[in-house]
Amino acid sequence: MTPFTQNVVSIISSIPEGKVMTYGQIAAHAGSPRAARQVVRILHSMSRKERLPWHRVVNAKGEIAIPDEHSRLIQETELISEGVEFKLDGTIDLELFGYQPERE
C-alpha cells in the first residue's frame, strides 16, 4: 500500500459518526490536493476490506456522488441514522456536518 493510500484509509477511518468529508478534502489531508479521483478509487476498492465508513464521504457540493440508486439510498439512510441532515435540495451542510481532522 502506498503512503498516500495509507493516509487516505487512515483519514476515512477517522471520520466520526455524524460527520462527513469530501473526496477533495481527504486527498488534500492525505498529501495530494488534486487526487480526489484517486480517493474515489481507493474508497471503491478498499471499503469492504478495510471496513471503511464509506458512507461518510461526499462530493464538494455536499451531495451523495454515487449514481446507483440503491447504493445512494443506503448511503443516505446510513447518514440520516447518524444524525446527518439533508437540506431540501438533497445536499448536506458541510459547515455543520463537515469534519476537519487535525493536521499532524
Side-chain angles (χ1 to χ4, degrees), residues 24-35:
Q25 183 185 19
I26 293 166
H29 280 275
S32 190
R34 301 189 70 183

Side-chain angles (χ1 to χ4, degrees), residues 35-98:
R37 288 179 190 243
Q38 185 64 18
V39 172
V40 173
R41 285 191 282 278
I42 292 167
L43 198 55
H44 179 74
S45 66
M46 301 189 83
S47 287
R48 186 168 288 157
K49 177 183 171 194
E50 298 291 332
R51 297 183 178 201
L52 298 176
W54 62 272
H55 61 283
R56 297 180 187 147
V57 183
V58 296
N59 72 17
K61 297 177 185 175
E63 300 170 331
I64 292 175
I66 300 172
D68 172 60
E69 195 62 37
H70 177 71
S71 298
R72 174 186 292 272
L73 184 59
I74 290 171
Q75 184 173 8
E76 184 177 339
T77 302
E78 288 286 330
L79 289 170
I80 290 169
S81 76
E82 293 183 358
V84 175
E85 298 173 7
F86 287 80
K87 296 189 273 185
L88 292 177
D89 65 0
T91 62
I92 296 167
D93 183 340
L94 295 176
E95 290 290 318
L96 187 60
F97 295 104

